[in-house]
Amino acid sequence: MKRFLPVLLLVLGFRTEVRAALIPAHEWKMIREVAVNYDLDEERTWLLAAIRRHENGRPGLEFGVGGPMNSGHRAHRYQDGVKSFYVQAMWAAGTVKKHYTGDLVAFGKRYNPPYPKKWSDGVASLIRRLKAENGNKLPGVRPAKRKIAFP
């Protein structure tokens, strides 16, 4: 039976491939660490994760902080993957903590001034998808507050 199950599912029209997570586990771990250190509540942690997925930048621009690369912004000082991820996440978390009041469109005007409505719609959609993917529960264990040391 096990041998024929994938064929049966395919014949019946069910998808058999496994989708990759929107955010990999190692990134969730870092996002949760930064969120705890910045005292972000659950709603703001989901927002931070959605920003990561929405911006989806390469090392040095993971959270889209600081405009174009090589603009001289301090959020671009690392481009190695882990350090840059933490620095970008910390800048984004600081912006979320300081400016997010529950109104995603108003926050979009701060985070992405040229296209706040389009940006906030995309981020809202990602928050819903991330919550659905994780059963409305932030993944992993809530880390203890600590100073983040770069590896």
Side-chain angles (χ1 to χ4, degrees), residues 60-62 65-66 69 72-78 84 87-88 91:
L61 284 171
E62 293 90 345
V65 175
M69 201 61 171
H73 194 284
R74 290 182 37 201
H76 298 162
R77 65 187 137 193
Y78 302 111
S84 68
V87 169
Q88 284 275 308
W91 278 84

Side-chain angles (χ1 to χ4, degrees), residues 131-145:
K131 285 182 174 183
E133 179 179 275
N134 294 289
N136 286 322
K137 186 173 182 282
L138 289 168
V141 177
R142 186 180 191 276
K145 197 171 196 176

Side-chain angles (χ1 to χ4, degrees), residues 5-15:
L5 188 58
V7 174
L8 178 64
L9 291 173
L10 190 61
V11 169
L12 294 174
F14 293 104
R15 300 174 105 176

Side-chain angles (χ1 to χ4, degrees), residues 87-137:
V87 169
Q88 284 275 308
M90 288 187 266
W91 278 84
T95 303
V96 168
K97 182 175 181 172
K98 186 174 182 181
H99 298 287
Y100 181 67
T101 60
D103 181 349
L104 200 50
V105 175
F107 181 72
K109 290 177 183 175
R110 163 66 69 172
Y111 208 89
N112 188 359
Y115 308 102
K117 178 73 171 115
K118 182 178 177 182
W119 185 90
S120 60
D121 288 348
V123 169
S125 172
L126 280 166
I127 290 171
R128 287 190 300 274
R129 289 175 59 201
L130 286 166
K131 285 182 174 183
E133 179 179 275
N134 294 289
N136 286 322
K137 186 173 182 282

Side-chain angles (χ1 to χ4, degrees), residues 26-104:
H26 70 279
E27 287 189 6
W28 265 116
K29 181 180 179 290
M30 292 187 280
I31 289 168
R32 297 283 311 265
E33 287 176 1
V34 171
V36 164
N37 282 1
Y38 278 77
D39 297 318
L40 300 184
D41 60 16
E42 190 171 311
E43 177 185 6
R44 286 168 176 78
T45 303
W46 285 114
L47 174 57
L48 184 62
I51 290 171
R52 165 60 184 131
R53 180 64 178 148
H54 184 75
E55 297 296 339
N56 204 24
R58 65 183 187 278
L61 284 171
E62 293 90 345
F63 289 79
V65 175
M69 201 61 171
N70 302 323
S71 65
H73 194 284
R74 290 182 37 201
H76 298 162
R77 65 187 137 193
Y78 302 111
Q79 296 177 24
D80 72 343
V82 175
K83 288 179 186 176
S84 68
F85 191 97
Y86 276 116
V87 169
Q88 284 275 308
M90 288 187 266
W91 278 84
T95 303
V96 168
K97 182 175 181 172
K98 186 174 182 181
H99 298 287
Y100 181 67
T101 60
D103 181 349
L104 200 50

